[in-house]
Amino acid sequence: MKRLLSLHALLVYLFLYLPILVIVALSFNESRRGVRFTGFTLDWYRALFQDPRVLEYFLNTLTVAFVSTLVATLLGTLLAVGLVRYRFPGKGFFRYLLYVPVVVPDVVMGVSLLLLFALARELLGFPRLSLLTVILGHITFQVAFVTLVVRSRLLLLDPALEEAARDLGARGWQTFWHVTLPLAWPGVAAGALLALTLSLDDFVVTFFTAGPGATTLPLYIYSSVKLGVSPKVHALSTLIIGLSAFFLALGYAVSRRRV
Amino acid sequence: MNEAATPWQRFLRVLVTVGPGGTWLLLFVLIPTLLVLLASFLTRGPYGELTGPWGLHNYVRLVQPVYLEAFAQSLLVGVLATLLSALMGYPLAFYIARHPRRDLLLFLLLLPFLTNFLIRVYAWLVLLQREGLVNAFLGAFGLGPFTFYPSFFAVLLATVYTFLPFFVLPVYASVERLDWQLLEAAYDLGAKPFRAFLHAVLPQTYPGLFAGSVLVFIPAMGTFVVADLLGAGRVVLIGNLIQQQFGLTRDWAFGAALSVFLMGFVLLALYLYARLRGERGLDELV
């Protein structure tokens, strides 16, 4: 039984890694087509780095990810605090609204934002589809995730700690700044990291909300892939895989040290 | 000081904390959702704009065989992807949870998952193409070459690949909390392994199983990218239809009706889930 379980796990991990290993291997392959390895080359990486558009798309991706994560983390953390600590009319409604971006398929979210921006442009004259509308779209799904992650952390905290701060004479914002926020910090960091990952990975919402000049790396990969298999995309993918591995390993190392 | 908080102070606190995020949700979640509903009752104008007359005509159009086939395909992808994820993910969650180096195994599970979604789908295109690795492998045994791509099979495979961790993680969370004494008790009472598992272990993992199923089923049904790349026009799901209406065809009204239909499906799945799991069930999803 135990052996069977190990074999099963081995096969599933093989299934998970085979596609990735093939992409990495092919990015160093001289041959343009097929999987026969004809010789080692770095030509595809050279071609990638010589393409000025790729750098532009990379910068667009980073701009969207960092700006949206910053805003979403701020909004989401405050919202989580409000939802957990205070009672107000409409609280239940907001709780349900939070789940909408989590459960509604991306494509529906993308088109609904497209409709909103089209209507706003009709009525107000802005915004034009651009990097700005992409950022607005990303913040929208990120806020929901950040709020839910921070909220679950806040629910674990002992309310006595905040009461103690108040008994010692701390004002509302002092309690928040010196007690609540430091205690909620792991949740805030986890929420921000999740938001960042979601933004870097997002294709669908970006696809519907991006205008000319707002191409991100996922959009570029999509359009290249539609044109056929390309070794340059293998090289780009390998770099992205390496980067995610590095960041994940970093997070893993940090979390292990804390334990 | 809390007891001294006046109604004005309490109002201010809610305004500062809930105000910005709440406004955002109203503006960018509630209004867009209502707009989709509204647009679904409108008509496509001569230039692809939304215009009158109002009516249910977009919903009447949905009942044509072409569209019904796409719904059936989406449902099939959703159900099969969930079943395959369960088959692969359920035992894996147990293996990871019982392993001395489970941190590392979780890390290895998440690594492909954090690789860009499009790259993961694209990788299957590379593997399954005519000169791909799978055909090269089978060719070594004198088989093939087969046309794995584009096909329903390719779409299903890549769907399972991309959403598998959504299934494993909630099940893993359940397994980690498992009370193994119940299993021992079952053995002590003379149960055979299968019966012991069925009564002492399986019910304890229901929360993870249900959450995992919802988390795979909904995105699997709603995706258009996987079918777009690996079905290459031959596999058309609801998501692809929606994308077409908002892209080339430019019939936003009909696309909105399709979106409402898809959302209806999602809500139905969530309703059934909530009936099974109760109010708190939704929180298990995050």
Side-chain angles (χ1 to χ4, degrees), chain B residues 132-162:
Chain B
L133 193 73
V134 175
N135 265 326
F137 177 76
L138 291 174
F141 297 96
L143 297 167
F146 297 100
T147 309
F148 291 115
Y149 149 82
S151 71
F152 181 83
F153 166 74
V155 172
L156 184 62
L157 201 64
T159 305
V160 173
Y161 184 74
T162 44

PDB file of all heavy atoms in Angstrom, chain B residues 132-162:
ATOM      1  N   GLY B 132       6.342  16.223 -31.438  1.00  0.00           N
ATOM      2  CA  GLY B 132       6.590  16.416 -30.008  1.00  0.00           C
ATOM      3  C   GLY B 132       7.154  15.184 -29.324  1.00  0.00           C
ATOM      4  O   GLY B 132       7.328  14.127 -29.939  1.00  0.00           O
ATOM      5  N   LEU B 133       7.431  15.359 -28.022  1.00  0.00           N
ATOM      6  CA  LEU B 133       8.090  14.304 -27.260  1.00  0.00           C
ATOM      7  C   LEU B 133       7.225  13.053 -27.138  1.00  0.00           C
ATOM      8  O   LEU B 133       7.716  11.933 -27.205  1.00  0.00           O
ATOM      9  CB  LEU B 133       8.440  14.833 -25.863  1.00  0.00           C
ATOM     10  CG  LEU B 133       9.401  13.945 -25.080  1.00  0.00           C
ATOM     11  CD1 LEU B 133      10.793  14.059 -25.658  1.00  0.00           C
ATOM     12  CD2 LEU B 133       9.400  14.328 -23.615  1.00  0.00           C
ATOM     13  N   VAL B 134       5.915  13.243 -26.956  1.00  0.00           N
ATOM     14  CA  VAL B 134       5.033  12.088 -26.766  1.00  0.00           C
ATOM     15  C   VAL B 134       5.049  11.210 -28.014  1.00  0.00           C
ATOM     16  O   VAL B 134       5.193   9.980 -27.920  1.00  0.00           O
ATOM     17  CB  VAL B 134       3.597  12.556 -26.432  1.00  0.00           C
ATOM     18  CG1 VAL B 134       2.659  11.361 -26.349  1.00  0.00           C
ATOM     19  CG2 VAL B 134       3.592  13.320 -25.119  1.00  0.00           C
ATOM     20  N   ASN B 135       4.950  11.834 -29.183  1.00  0.00           N
ATOM     21  CA  ASN B 135       5.000  11.055 -30.417  1.00  0.00           C
ATOM     22  C   ASN B 135       6.379  10.448 -30.650  1.00  0.00           C
ATOM     23  O   ASN B 135       6.490   9.336 -31.167  1.00  0.00           O
ATOM     24  CB  ASN B 135       4.594  11.928 -31.613  1.00  0.00           C
ATOM     25  CG  ASN B 135       3.110  11.772 -31.925  1.00  0.00           C
ATOM     26  OD1 ASN B 135       2.540  10.687 -31.766  1.00  0.00           O
ATOM     27  ND2 ASN B 135       2.486  12.854 -32.341  1.00  0.00           N
ATOM     28  N   ALA B 136       7.436  11.165 -30.260  1.00  0.00           N
ATOM     29  CA  ALA B 136       8.790  10.637 -30.397  1.00  0.00           C
ATOM     30  C   ALA B 136       8.954   9.386 -29.532  1.00  0.00           C
ATOM     31  O   ALA B 136       9.534   8.384 -29.948  1.00  0.00           O
ATOM     32  CB  ALA B 136       9.809  11.702 -30.001  1.00  0.00           C
ATOM     33  N   PHE B 137       8.403   9.458 -28.325  1.00  0.00           N
ATOM     34  CA  PHE B 137       8.455   8.337 -27.386  1.00  0.00           C
ATOM     35  C   PHE B 137       7.691   7.131 -27.942  1.00  0.00           C
ATOM     36  O   PHE B 137       8.199   6.015 -27.974  1.00  0.00           O
ATOM     37  CB  PHE B 137       7.874   8.773 -26.042  1.00  0.00           C
ATOM     38  CG  PHE B 137       7.811   7.688 -25.011  1.00  0.00           C
ATOM     39  CD1 PHE B 137       8.969   7.275 -24.354  1.00  0.00           C
ATOM     40  CD2 PHE B 137       6.600   7.085 -24.699  1.00  0.00           C
ATOM     41  CE1 PHE B 137       8.904   6.264 -23.405  1.00  0.00           C
ATOM     42  CE2 PHE B 137       6.545   6.075 -23.750  1.00  0.00           C
ATOM     43  CZ  PHE B 137       7.699   5.669 -23.103  1.00  0.00           C
ATOM     44  N   LEU B 138       6.454   7.387 -28.395  1.00  0.00           N
ATOM     45  CA  LEU B 138       5.635   6.301 -28.929  1.00  0.00           C
ATOM     46  C   LEU B 138       6.253   5.744 -30.215  1.00  0.00           C
ATOM     47  O   LEU B 138       6.170   4.548 -30.488  1.00  0.00           O
ATOM     48  CB  LEU B 138       4.209   6.793 -29.194  1.00  0.00           C
ATOM     49  CG  LEU B 138       3.384   7.121 -27.946  1.00  0.00           C
ATOM     50  CD1 LEU B 138       2.055   7.735 -28.326  1.00  0.00           C
ATOM     51  CD2 LEU B 138       3.182   5.880 -27.093  1.00  0.00           C
ATOM     52  N   GLY B 139       6.891   6.635 -30.986  1.00  0.00           N
ATOM     53  CA  GLY B 139       7.513   6.216 -32.236  1.00  0.00           C
ATOM     54  C   GLY B 139       8.618   5.200 -31.997  1.00  0.00           C
ATOM     55  O   GLY B 139       8.865   4.319 -32.824  1.00  0.00           O
ATOM     56  N   ALA B 140       9.294   5.309 -30.845  1.00  0.00           N
ATOM     57  CA  ALA B 140      10.361   4.387 -30.494  1.00  0.00           C
ATOM     58  C   ALA B 140       9.822   2.957 -30.367  1.00  0.00           C
ATOM     59  O   ALA B 140      10.564   1.999 -30.496  1.00  0.00           O
ATOM     60  CB  ALA B 140      11.022   4.818 -29.189  1.00  0.00           C
ATOM     61  N   PHE B 141       8.514   2.841 -30.092  1.00  0.00           N
ATOM     62  CA  PHE B 141       7.889   1.517 -30.019  1.00  0.00           C
ATOM     63  C   PHE B 141       7.152   1.183 -31.315  1.00  0.00           C
ATOM     64  O   PHE B 141       6.349   0.269 -31.354  1.00  0.00           O
ATOM     65  CB  PHE B 141       6.905   1.456 -28.852  1.00  0.00           C
ATOM     66  CG  PHE B 141       7.552   1.648 -27.521  1.00  0.00           C
ATOM     67  CD1 PHE B 141       7.571   2.899 -26.914  1.00  0.00           C
ATOM     68  CD2 PHE B 141       8.158   0.582 -26.868  1.00  0.00           C
ATOM     69  CE1 PHE B 141       8.187   3.079 -25.682  1.00  0.00           C
ATOM     70  CE2 PHE B 141       8.774   0.758 -25.641  1.00  0.00           C
ATOM     71  CZ  PHE B 141       8.791   2.006 -25.042  1.00  0.00           C
ATOM     72  N   GLY B 142       7.414   1.993 -32.346  1.00  0.00           N
ATOM     73  CA  GLY B 142       6.769   1.748 -33.624  1.00  0.00           C
ATOM     74  C   GLY B 142       5.321   2.184 -33.689  1.00  0.00           C
ATOM     75  O   GLY B 142       4.567   1.751 -34.550  1.00  0.00           O
ATOM     76  N   LEU B 143       4.920   3.044 -32.752  1.00  0.00           N
ATOM     77  CA  LEU B 143       3.523   3.515 -32.735  1.00  0.00           C
ATOM     78  C   LEU B 143       3.430   4.927 -33.302  1.00  0.00           C
ATOM     79  O   LEU B 143       4.376   5.695 -33.232  1.00  0.00           O
ATOM     80  CB  LEU B 143       2.976   3.525 -31.300  1.00  0.00           C
ATOM     81  CG  LEU B 143       2.896   2.184 -30.586  1.00  0.00           C
ATOM     82  CD1 LEU B 143       2.659   2.393 -29.102  1.00  0.00           C
ATOM     83  CD2 LEU B 143       1.770   1.340 -31.197  1.00  0.00           C
ATOM     84  N   GLY B 144       2.273   5.230 -33.847  1.00  0.00           N
ATOM     85  CA  GLY B 144       1.991   6.596 -34.255  1.00  0.00           C
ATOM     86  C   GLY B 144       2.642   6.974 -35.576  1.00  0.00           C
ATOM     87  O   GLY B 144       2.950   6.087 -36.363  1.00  0.00           O
ATOM     88  N   PRO B 145       2.896   8.248 -35.878  1.00  0.00           N
ATOM     89  CA  PRO B 145       2.556   9.358 -34.985  1.00  0.00           C
ATOM     90  C   PRO B 145       1.057   9.656 -34.919  1.00  0.00           C
ATOM     91  O   PRO B 145       0.355   9.496 -35.906  1.00  0.00           O
ATOM     92  CB  PRO B 145       3.303  10.532 -35.630  1.00  0.00           C
ATOM     93  CG  PRO B 145       3.396  10.191 -37.067  1.00  0.00           C
ATOM     94  CD  PRO B 145       3.484   8.705 -37.145  1.00  0.00           C
ATOM     95  N   PHE B 146       0.620  10.066 -33.732  1.00  0.00           N
ATOM     96  CA  PHE B 146      -0.789  10.386 -33.517  1.00  0.00           C
ATOM     97  C   PHE B 146      -0.994  11.891 -33.541  1.00  0.00           C
ATOM     98  O   PHE B 146      -0.071  12.651 -33.281  1.00  0.00           O
ATOM     99  CB  PHE B 146      -1.250   9.860 -32.156  1.00  0.00           C
ATOM    100  CG  PHE B 146      -1.186   8.379 -32.038  1.00  0.00           C
ATOM    101  CD1 PHE B 146      -0.126   7.766 -31.381  1.00  0.00           C
ATOM    102  CD2 PHE B 146      -2.177   7.588 -32.594  1.00  0.00           C
ATOM    103  CE1 PHE B 146      -0.065   6.379 -31.263  1.00  0.00           C
ATOM    104  CE2 PHE B 146      -2.115   6.201 -32.492  1.00  0.00           C
ATOM    105  CZ  PHE B 146      -1.070   5.594 -31.820  1.00  0.00           C
ATOM    106  N   THR B 147      -2.227  12.283 -33.855  1.00  0.00           N
ATOM    107  CA  THR B 147      -2.563  13.702 -33.786  1.00  0.00           C
ATOM    108  C   THR B 147      -3.217  13.961 -32.430  1.00  0.00           C
ATOM    109  O   THR B 147      -4.409  13.825 -32.266  1.00  0.00           O
ATOM    110  CB  THR B 147      -3.524  14.096 -34.920  1.00  0.00           C
ATOM    111  OG1 THR B 147      -2.962  13.619 -36.145  1.00  0.00           O
ATOM    112  CG2 THR B 147      -3.696  15.590 -34.990  1.00  0.00           C
ATOM    113  N   PHE B 148      -2.375  14.278 -31.433  1.00  0.00           N
ATOM    114  CA  PHE B 148      -2.902  14.552 -30.094  1.00  0.00           C
ATOM    115  C   PHE B 148      -3.412  15.971 -29.984  1.00  0.00           C
ATOM    116  O   PHE B 148      -4.130  16.323 -29.067  1.00  0.00           O
ATOM    117  CB  PHE B 148      -1.806  14.359 -29.048  1.00  0.00           C
ATOM    118  CG  PHE B 148      -1.394  12.939 -28.878  1.00  0.00           C
ATOM    119  CD1 PHE B 148      -0.127  12.523 -29.216  1.00  0.00           C
ATOM    120  CD2 PHE B 148      -2.287  12.013 -28.374  1.00  0.00           C
ATOM    121  CE1 PHE B 148       0.264  11.211 -29.042  1.00  0.00           C
ATOM    122  CE2 PHE B 148      -1.920  10.693 -28.201  1.00  0.00           C
ATOM    123  CZ  PHE B 148      -0.640  10.292 -28.544  1.00  0.00           C
ATOM    124  N   TYR B 149      -2.939  16.785 -30.900  1.00  0.00           N
ATOM    125  CA  TYR B 149      -3.254  18.197 -30.809  1.00  0.00           C
ATOM    126  C   TYR B 149      -3.587  18.707 -32.201  1.00  0.00           C
ATOM    127  O   TYR B 149      -2.844  18.385 -33.132  1.00  0.00           O
ATOM    128  CB  TYR B 149      -2.040  18.951 -30.243  1.00  0.00           C
ATOM    129  CG  TYR B 149      -1.902  20.355 -30.733  1.00  0.00           C
ATOM    130  CD1 TYR B 149      -2.633  21.380 -30.137  1.00  0.00           C
ATOM    131  CD2 TYR B 149      -1.081  20.655 -31.830  1.00  0.00           C
ATOM    132  CE1 TYR B 149      -2.526  22.665 -30.614  1.00  0.00           C
ATOM    133  CE2 TYR B 149      -0.982  21.949 -32.288  1.00  0.00           C
ATOM    134  CZ  TYR B 149      -1.704  22.950 -31.678  1.00  0.00           C
ATOM    135  OH  TYR B 149      -1.616  24.221 -32.141  1.00  0.00           O
ATOM    136  N   PRO B 150      -4.645  19.467 -32.411  1.00  0.00           N
ATOM    137  CA  PRO B 150      -5.609  19.881 -31.385  1.00  0.00           C
ATOM    138  C   PRO B 150      -6.656  18.813 -31.127  1.00  0.00           C
ATOM    139  O   PRO B 150      -7.087  18.149 -32.050  1.00  0.00           O
ATOM    140  CB  PRO B 150      -6.255  21.097 -32.038  1.00  0.00           C
ATOM    141  CG  PRO B 150      -6.124  20.883 -33.509  1.00  0.00           C
ATOM    142  CD  PRO B 150      -4.937  20.012 -33.731  1.00  0.00           C
ATOM    143  N   SER B 151      -7.063  18.676 -29.882  1.00  0.00           N
ATOM    144  CA  SER B 151      -8.090  17.690 -29.546  1.00  0.00           C
ATOM    145  C   SER B 151      -8.676  17.968 -28.167  1.00  0.00           C
ATOM    146  O   SER B 151      -8.112  18.729 -27.377  1.00  0.00           O
ATOM    147  CB  SER B 151      -7.474  16.287 -29.546  1.00  0.00           C
ATOM    148  OG  SER B 151      -6.617  16.162 -28.436  1.00  0.00           O
ATOM    149  N   PHE B 152      -9.800  17.308 -27.911  1.00  0.00           N
ATOM    150  CA  PHE B 152     -10.439  17.410 -26.599  1.00  0.00           C
ATOM    151  C   PHE B 152      -9.523  16.837 -25.527  1.00  0.00           C
ATOM    152  O   PHE B 152      -9.406  17.380 -24.436  1.00  0.00           O
ATOM    153  CB  PHE B 152     -11.771  16.637 -26.626  1.00  0.00           C
ATOM    154  CG  PHE B 152     -12.535  16.697 -25.343  1.00  0.00           C
ATOM    155  CD1 PHE B 152     -13.354  17.780 -25.065  1.00  0.00           C
ATOM    156  CD2 PHE B 152     -12.430  15.675 -24.405  1.00  0.00           C
ATOM    157  CE1 PHE B 152     -14.057  17.839 -23.868  1.00  0.00           C
ATOM    158  CE2 PHE B 152     -13.130  15.744 -23.207  1.00  0.00           C
ATOM    159  CZ  PHE B 152     -13.944  16.829 -22.951  1.00  0.00           C
ATOM    160  N   PHE B 153      -8.846  15.754 -25.878  1.00  0.00           N
ATOM    161  CA  PHE B 153      -7.919  15.102 -24.954  1.00  0.00           C
ATOM    162  C   PHE B 153      -6.824  16.069 -24.490  1.00  0.00           C
ATOM    163  O   PHE B 153      -6.510  16.156 -23.300  1.00  0.00           O
ATOM    164  CB  PHE B 153      -7.310  13.876 -25.653  1.00  0.00           C
ATOM    165  CG  PHE B 153      -6.114  13.294 -24.964  1.00  0.00           C
ATOM    166  CD1 PHE B 153      -6.265  12.560 -23.807  1.00  0.00           C
ATOM    167  CD2 PHE B 153      -4.836  13.493 -25.477  1.00  0.00           C
ATOM    168  CE1 PHE B 153      -5.159  12.022 -23.162  1.00  0.00           C
ATOM    169  CE2 PHE B 153      -3.727  12.965 -24.840  1.00  0.00           C
ATOM    170  CZ  PHE B 153      -3.896  12.223 -23.684  1.00  0.00           C
ATOM    171  N   ALA B 154      -6.257  16.803 -25.455  1.00  0.00           N
ATOM    172  CA  ALA B 154      -5.197  17.759 -25.119  1.00  0.00           C
ATOM    173  C   ALA B 154      -5.733  18.845 -24.182  1.00  0.00           C
ATOM    174  O   ALA B 154      -5.069  19.235 -23.216  1.00  0.00           O
ATOM    175  CB  ALA B 154      -4.638  18.388 -26.389  1.00  0.00           C
ATOM    176  N   VAL B 155      -6.942  19.332 -24.475  1.00  0.00           N
ATOM    177  CA  VAL B 155      -7.549  20.371 -23.647  1.00  0.00           C
ATOM    178  C   VAL B 155      -7.737  19.865 -22.221  1.00  0.00           C
ATOM    179  O   VAL B 155      -7.393  20.535 -21.246  1.00  0.00           O
ATOM    180  CB  VAL B 155      -8.904  20.830 -24.247  1.00  0.00           C
ATOM    181  CG1 VAL B 155      -9.630  21.768 -23.293  1.00  0.00           C
ATOM    182  CG2 VAL B 155      -8.689  21.503 -25.591  1.00  0.00           C
ATOM    183  N   LEU B 156      -8.260  18.639 -22.112  1.00  0.00           N
ATOM    184  CA  LEU B 156      -8.523  18.065 -20.789  1.00  0.00           C
ATOM    185  C   LEU B 156      -7.226  17.888 -19.998  1.00  0.00           C
ATOM    186  O   LEU B 156      -7.129  18.252 -18.821  1.00  0.00           O
ATOM    187  CB  LEU B 156      -9.239  16.722 -20.957  1.00  0.00           C
ATOM    188  CG  LEU B 156      -9.674  16.047 -19.662  1.00  0.00           C
ATOM    189  CD1 LEU B 156     -10.683  16.914 -18.918  1.00  0.00           C
ATOM    190  CD2 LEU B 156     -10.264  14.672 -19.948  1.00  0.00           C
ATOM    191  N   LEU B 157      -6.219  17.347 -20.672  1.00  0.00           N
ATOM    192  CA  LEU B 157      -4.937  17.090 -20.025  1.00  0.00           C
ATOM    193  C   LEU B 157      -4.321  18.383 -19.468  1.00  0.00           C
ATOM    194  O   LEU B 157      -3.900  18.455 -18.322  1.00  0.00           O
ATOM    195  CB  LEU B 157      -3.988  16.443 -21.040  1.00  0.00           C
ATOM    196  CG  LEU B 157      -2.814  15.669 -20.481  1.00  0.00           C
ATOM    197  CD1 LEU B 157      -3.309  14.474 -19.701  1.00  0.00           C
ATOM    198  CD2 LEU B 157      -1.904  15.209 -21.617  1.00  0.00           C
ATOM    199  N   ALA B 158      -4.289  19.408 -20.302  1.00  0.00           N
ATOM    200  CA  ALA B 158      -3.688  20.676 -19.875  1.00  0.00           C
ATOM    201  C   ALA B 158      -4.533  21.333 -18.790  1.00  0.00           C
ATOM    202  O   ALA B 158      -4.002  22.006 -17.908  1.00  0.00           O
ATOM    203  CB  ALA B 158      -3.531  21.606 -21.068  1.00  0.00           C
ATOM    204  N   THR B 159      -5.857  21.147 -18.844  1.00  0.00           N
ATOM    205  CA  THR B 159      -6.722  21.707 -17.804  1.00  0.00           C
ATOM    206  C   THR B 159      -6.395  21.072 -16.455  1.00  0.00           C
ATOM    207  O   THR B 159      -6.226  21.769 -15.454  1.00  0.00           O
ATOM    208  CB  THR B 159      -8.207  21.475 -18.152  1.00  0.00           C
ATOM    209  OG1 THR B 159      -8.468  22.007 -19.436  1.00  0.00           O
ATOM    210  CG2 THR B 159      -9.102  22.149 -17.132  1.00  0.00           C
ATOM    211  N   VAL B 160      -6.294  19.744 -16.443  1.00  0.00           N
ATOM    212  CA  VAL B 160      -5.952  19.057 -15.195  1.00  0.00           C
ATOM    213  C   VAL B 160      -4.582  19.539 -14.712  1.00  0.00           C
ATOM    214  O   VAL B 160      -4.392  19.826 -13.529  1.00  0.00           O
ATOM    215  CB  VAL B 160      -5.930  17.523 -15.399  1.00  0.00           C
ATOM    216  CG1 VAL B 160      -5.407  16.826 -14.155  1.00  0.00           C
ATOM    217  CG2 VAL B 160      -7.315  17.025 -15.742  1.00  0.00           C
ATOM    218  N   TYR B 161      -3.647  19.637 -15.637  1.00  0.00           N
ATOM    219  CA  TYR B 161      -2.288  20.057 -15.286  1.00  0.00           C
ATOM    220  C   TYR B 161      -2.293  21.420 -14.608  1.00  0.00           C
ATOM    221  O   TYR B 161      -1.616  21.615 -13.595  1.00  0.00           O
ATOM    222  CB  TYR B 161      -1.438  20.104 -16.548  1.00  0.00           C
ATOM    223  CG  TYR B 161       0.009  20.434 -16.279  1.00  0.00           C
ATOM    224  CD1 TYR B 161       0.848  19.488 -15.724  1.00  0.00           C
ATOM    225  CD2 TYR B 161       0.523  21.682 -16.577  1.00  0.00           C
ATOM    226  CE1 TYR B 161       2.166  19.770 -15.470  1.00  0.00           C
ATOM    227  CE2 TYR B 161       1.853  21.976 -16.325  1.00  0.00           C
ATOM    228  CZ  TYR B 161       2.673  21.021 -15.773  1.00  0.00           C
ATOM    229  OH  TYR B 161       3.968  21.316 -15.522  1.00  0.00           O
ATOM    230  N   THR B 162      -3.072  22.372 -15.155  1.00  0.00           N
ATOM    231  CA  THR B 162      -3.016  23.732 -14.613  1.00  0.00           C
ATOM    232  C   THR B 162      -3.761  23.865 -13.293  1.00  0.00           C
ATOM    233  O   THR B 162      -3.411  24.696 -12.475  1.00  0.00           O
ATOM    234  CB  THR B 162      -3.561  24.770 -15.605  1.00  0.00           C
ATOM    235  OG1 THR B 162      -4.756  24.274 -16.177  1.00  0.00           O
ATOM    236  CG2 THR B 162      -2.580  25.063 -16.689  1.00  0.00           C
TER     237      THR B 162
END
